[in-house]
Amino acid sequence: MPSLPDMTTPDVVALAERAAASQPHDPHLEDVDLRPAFFDWLCRMGDNTLILGHRISEWCGHGPVLEEDIALANTALDLIGHTQMWLGLAAEVEGEGRTADDLAFLRDAMRFRNLQLLELPNRDMAVTLMREFLFDAWHFEMLTALCGSQSPRVAEIAAKALKEVSYHLERSSDLIVRLGDGSEESHRRMQDALDRLWPYLGEMFVEDAVDKAVAEAGIAPRPADLRGAWEQTVNEVLEEATLASPDTRMDVHQGGKQGRHTEHLGYILAEMQFLQRAYPGASW
Amino acid sequence: MYAQMVKSEGMKSAEEMTPEERAFQNRIDRNEKIEPKEWMPEGYRKTLIRQIGQHAHSEIVGQLPEGNWITRAPTLERKAILLAKVQDEAGHGLYLYSAAETLGVSRDELMEKLHSGAMKYSSIFNYPTLTWADMGAVGWLVDGAAIMNQVPLQRTSYGPYSRAMIRICKEESFHQRQGYAIMMKMAQGTPEQKEMAQDALNRFWYPALMMFGPSDKDSVHSAQSMAWKIKMNTNDELRQKFVDETVPQAEYLGLTVPDETLRWNEERGHYDFAEPDWNEFFEVIKGNGPCNRERLEARRTAWEEGRWFREGLMAYAEKSAARRKAAPHAAE
């Protein structure tokens, strides 16, 4: 007999079902009027982590040093885990029988709700790390606020994700300082990365009708409310890193939250969704 | 595993040994562990560096064929599992380079030797991963073959190597199971998925058998390594054990091992099976496998393009040290 049975044993499945059944009751999930905005907002959270996780995972095996390979894979793994939770809840709120995988692998670019910042190509480690840091600083404030969400399901996911994101922020801040205040070349590359990403940052703080609806329902903070704390973190780290904030506009490029993306997202999805698209209905 | 054709220094008889060498051999015969600062014959140290280094290189080059499918994994769960697995491989590389460092060779020196081609990595990673079923086949067959050698190496004579191997084996056996889980899904899936599963087995079967290295009769370096307990079993013993364990697993999947001569031999209590094409093996070792050039280029590029990153961190560390020296009492 083979000595390697499948890992998905009936008791594992039963445990997962029991865990799902013991979720706290959340009246927001039954609010029909709120549903479209809540669903959209959850997709924003899940698409952010999915697309950034995808970009970071592209480094796997190609990092500048072994410790970075491990750290980058670990970060990508955390973000994919967050995606499973956010898109899983989005699918539940939608109530159309879709799953997190359906949302990740079967939506086209115009239905994706991630920030444009996160779909930009990695280029080098400077852009990769600077992007991660600028997002981590926002992600940390967002999740901290969401821990107090009136939606217990949202608060629960945020609390779990925050543990990991606190570490992401600690690690990326540390590397920004070291590389910014490192060699001449590392300083130049970090400054170039910051300048390149700057015009995409404003999108994190722009409010639309979806943000307004979930904020009024007590689910999430208003985007603009996160800006003060984000700026403080970013300014402190950049100063220590001897890097200068550009004095140009931060809100030049936006629209990702509404499904208007850069040219890059289509290629990410073509790669990411290939198997699900080529073999519809197959189970993996 | 992941160590093939590791060159070992010539074997000495008890009479030819110096008193120190005899005492060393006696310790090994008593199953004592040899620790970093202790006296060891130069040949033992060199052979271990070659073997542990080759194993470490295999772990990091081994990230590439699997990393190839992370961005195309078919579900979020599969993506997470694959990421975790490839991250484990990098971690194994780290343990092993650290074990090699205890023998007096730095990680950077070993990397340089990998990049210059002076040191090898396992031939298996020069084969391409063409479909999602290859993620199953790599876990099931490649990690499966690796485990055959790594499990006995937990008892190897060199302490740091043995301890690294104990940690690695825990993760590798999980990797093999996840590979097999993918194969089960594919083998029970749509006709296309089943075709991919069979194709993956067809392509990986013989390269997996090659992982154990050439036949014992052609393996010139085994005797000394076995006396030192750096190598615990012969290549042919391990290959046979792998075939005996893997064939029923393939049958359970409903897949066919691509070997028409494969038969259960009642008398021997083992399967009879066809040898892989050793000419192909030697060609792959020489650099003529399907992906040798790409794999090595990917590693060299990562190293070269990461130079500014490593130098930037070093520059910061030097500046901080200088600042601390200039203001020893300042709160940092």
Side-chain angles (χ1 to χ4, degrees):
Chain A
M1 272 304 289
S3 55
L4 294 167
D6 193 352
M7 287 181 294
T8 319
T9 52
D11 55 322
V12 171
V13 175
L15 269 175
E17 278 168 4
R18 216 184 312 153
S22 68
Q23 293 287 1
H25 178 70
D26 189 339
H28 294 94
L29 268 64
E30 288 139 29
D31 183 340
V32 179
D33 295 334
L34 181 65
R35 187 168 293 166
F38 194 14
F39 171 74
D40 232 44
W41 179 83
L42 287 165
C43 287
R44 290 177 182 181
M45 294 301 292
D47 292 346
N48 280 343
T49 53
L50 176 58
I51 298 303
L52 182 61
H54 180 99
R55 280 300 189 212
I56 293 178
S57 79
E58 291 175 350
W59 276 101
C60 204
H62 305 278
V65 66
L66 197 44
E67 285 81 352
E68 280 307 306
D69 254 328
I70 297 172
L72 289 164
N74 212 343
T75 305
L77 182 56
D78 289 345
L79 292 169
I80 299 304
H82 303 168
T83 306
Q84 287 176 294
M85 296 190 283
W86 290 123
L87 293 187
L89 185 56
E92 209 179 315
V93 166
E94 186 190 40
E96 303 278 343
R98 290 204 281 184
T99 63
D101 282 337
D102 292 337
L103 293 175
F105 295 97
L106 298 173
R107 278 178 303 156
D108 200 353
M110 63 194 290
R111 303 267 178 259
F112 266 74
R113 297 289 181 257
N114 59 283
L115 301 165
Q116 288 190 359
L117 171 73
L118 306 178
E119 68 206 39
L120 300 175
N122 287 330
R123 305 183 74 89
D124 61 1
M125 276 295 280
V127 172
T128 302
L129 284 171
M130 185 57 81
R131 182 235 310 269
E132 202 206 310
F133 164 66
L134 295 165
F135 177 75
D136 287 346
W138 175 86
H139 203 191
F140 178 84
E141 297 305 333
M142 180 57 135
L143 293 173
T144 303
L146 291 179
C147 286
S149 170
Q150 285 172 33
S151 160
R153 296 289 298 281
V154 167
E156 188 180 68
I157 295 174
K160 189 172 184 306
L162 183 59
K163 286 184 200 152
E164 293 165 347
V165 170
S166 305
Y167 180 70
H168 296 177
L169 179 60
E170 189 184 320
R171 172 178 169 273
S172 62
S173 303
D174 182 60
L175 283 170
I176 298 300
V177 169
R178 287 166 190 269
L179 293 167
D181 189 19
S183 68
E184 214 169 288
E185 182 178 4
S186 72
H187 176 84
R188 176 181 59 74
R189 284 182 185 254
M190 296 311 281
Q191 185 65 53
D192 287 352
L194 180 62
D195 296 348
R196 173 182 286 274
L197 299 171
W198 196 255
Y200 292 88
L201 301 179
E203 186 175 12
M204 297 193 282
F205 308 109
V206 175
E207 178 173 301
D208 67 1
V210 168
D211 294 312
K212 190 161 179 281
V214 290
E216 281 170 0
I219 294 172
R222 289 184 176 278
D225 291 348
L226 303 175
R227 187 163 184 157
W230 177 86
E231 276 180 352
Q232 195 183 336
T233 306
V234 168
N235 289 339
E236 278 172 16
V237 171
L238 292 182
E239 196 191 326
E240 202 186 337
T242 70
L243 296 170
S245 307
D247 52 7
T248 50
R249 279 175 53 188
M250 263 178 28
D251 60 350
V252 179
H253 304 296
Q254 44 177 306
K257 282 161 67 167
Q258 292 83 28
R260 218 168 50 253
H261 291 278
T262 67
E263 288 179 345
H264 305 293
L265 184 65
Y267 290 97
I268 291 181
L269 299 186
E271 189 174 340
M272 185 173 84
Q273 299 180 338
F274 152 67
L275 281 170
Q276 291 278 359
R277 300 286 191 185
Y279 303 99
S283 163
W284 304 93
Chain B
M1 156 79 17
Y2 299 148
Q4 295 160 323
M5 305 186 67
V6 173
K7 192 165 163 270
S8 176
E9 309 295 314
M11 177 99 178
K12 283 185 185 173
S13 68
E15 295 78 48
E16 291 168 321
M17 286 182 193
T18 64
E20 259 176 330
E21 287 169 343
R22 236 187 332 263
F24 179 81
Q25 187 61 51
N26 288 340
R27 289 188 62 195
I28 289 186
D29 294 343
R30 288 196 301 269
N31 288 325
E32 282 179 29
K33 291 277 180 269
I34 308 301
E35 295 298 337
K37 298 270 166 72
E38 295 172 347
W39 185 86
M40 60 186 76
E42 197 50 20
Y44 177 85
R45 197 181 66 83
K46 280 188 179 158
T47 309
L48 267 177
I49 288 174
R50 285 190 199 113
Q51 181 168 328
I52 298 173
Q54 192 183 109
H55 187 165
H57 296 329
S58 298
E59 297 284 357
I60 60 160
V61 176
Q63 290 184 89
L64 299 170
E66 290 183 284
N68 186 31
W69 279 89
I70 288 174
T71 55
R72 289 178 292 171
T75 68
L76 294 170
E77 190 184 9
R78 290 287 177 211
K79 194 188 286 289
I81 293 170
L82 188 57
L83 265 167
K85 179 178 189 261
V86 181
Q87 185 201 323
D88 284 349
E89 312 289 1
H92 297 173
L94 202 53
Y95 306 154
L96 288 162
Y97 285 123
S98 303
E101 281 182 326
T102 66
L103 293 159
V105 61
S106 74
R107 202 203 302 176
D108 284 4
E109 282 173 73
L110 290 171
M111 289 278 180
E112 293 296 341
K113 286 190 170 163
L114 169 67
H115 298 152
S116 72
M119 281 183 88
K120 302 286 183 204
Y121 53 89
S122 177
S123 58
I124 191 73
F125 301 116
N126 291 312
Y127 289 87
T129 52
L130 303 177
T131 74
W132 175 252
D134 290 12
M135 295 304 97
V138 168
W140 173 37
L141 301 174
V142 175
D143 293 327
I147 289 168
M148 289 293 154
N149 202 25
Q150 287 171 355
V151 166
L153 276 176
Q154 294 178 99
R155 294 180 283 109
T156 189
S157 60
Y158 189 55
Y161 191 25
S162 159
R163 291 188 286 274
M165 215 46 79
I166 289 167
R167 298 185 65 168
I168 289 172
C169 279
K170 285 184 188 153
E171 293 176 343
E172 288 292 359
S173 68
F174 187 74
H175 294 174
Q176 193 195 11
R177 294 168 79 90
Q178 72 83 33
Y180 197 71
I182 291 177
M183 290 309 274
M184 282 187 71
K185 269 281 192 209
M186 299 295 280
Q188 293 162 0
T190 64
E192 290 99 332
Q193 285 176 304
K194 194 162 181 187
E195 187 187 347
M196 287 184 229
Q198 181 63 55
D199 179 56
L201 174 58
N202 293 349
R203 284 182 288 106
F204 277 97
W205 175 254
Y206 288 107
L209 295 186
M210 291 175 200
M211 287 175 66
F212 299 96
S215 178
D216 296 342
K217 58 185 190 299
D218 305 316
S219 188
V220 287
H221 311 302
S222 286
Q224 178 62 76
S225 286
M226 290 186 73
W228 278 333
K229 293 187 186 164
I230 291 173
K231 191 179 168 93
M232 309 298 283
N233 303 85
T234 71
N235 297 349
D236 287 336
E237 277 169 17
L238 292 171
R239 191 169 11 250
Q240 181 71 61
K241 192 165 185 304
F242 174 74
V243 171
D244 290 348
E245 285 193 18
T246 308
V247 169
Q249 291 167 359
E251 281 168 1
Y252 185 79
L253 292 170
L255 300 178
T256 309
V257 173
D259 175 359
E260 286 175 7
T261 68
L262 188 76
R263 298 272 182 288
W264 177 252
N265 184 327
E266 199 65 56
E267 207 174 301
R268 290 202 307 128
H270 292 293
Y271 282 93
D272 292 337
F273 60 95
E275 289 273 313
D277 175 356
W278 290 112
N279 289 329
E280 177 181 320
F281 173 75
F282 289 112
E283 281 302 308
V284 173
I285 293 279
K286 264 193 267 173
N288 298 326
C291 299
N292 294 59
R293 188 177 288 266
E294 280 101 324
R295 299 287 186 248
L296 209 48
E297 258 170 19
R299 288 310 313 167
R300 282 195 198 121
T301 304
W303 190 249
E304 286 306 319
E305 290 183 358
R307 187 179 301 281
W308 71 268
F309 177 93
R310 298 188 302 274
E311 287 174 356
L313 294 186
M314 286 307 291
Y316 179 84
E318 282 156 20
K319 277 191 216 178
S320 308
R323 278 179 214 142
R324 272 197 301 275
K325 212 172 166 191
H329 303 297
E332 273 274 312

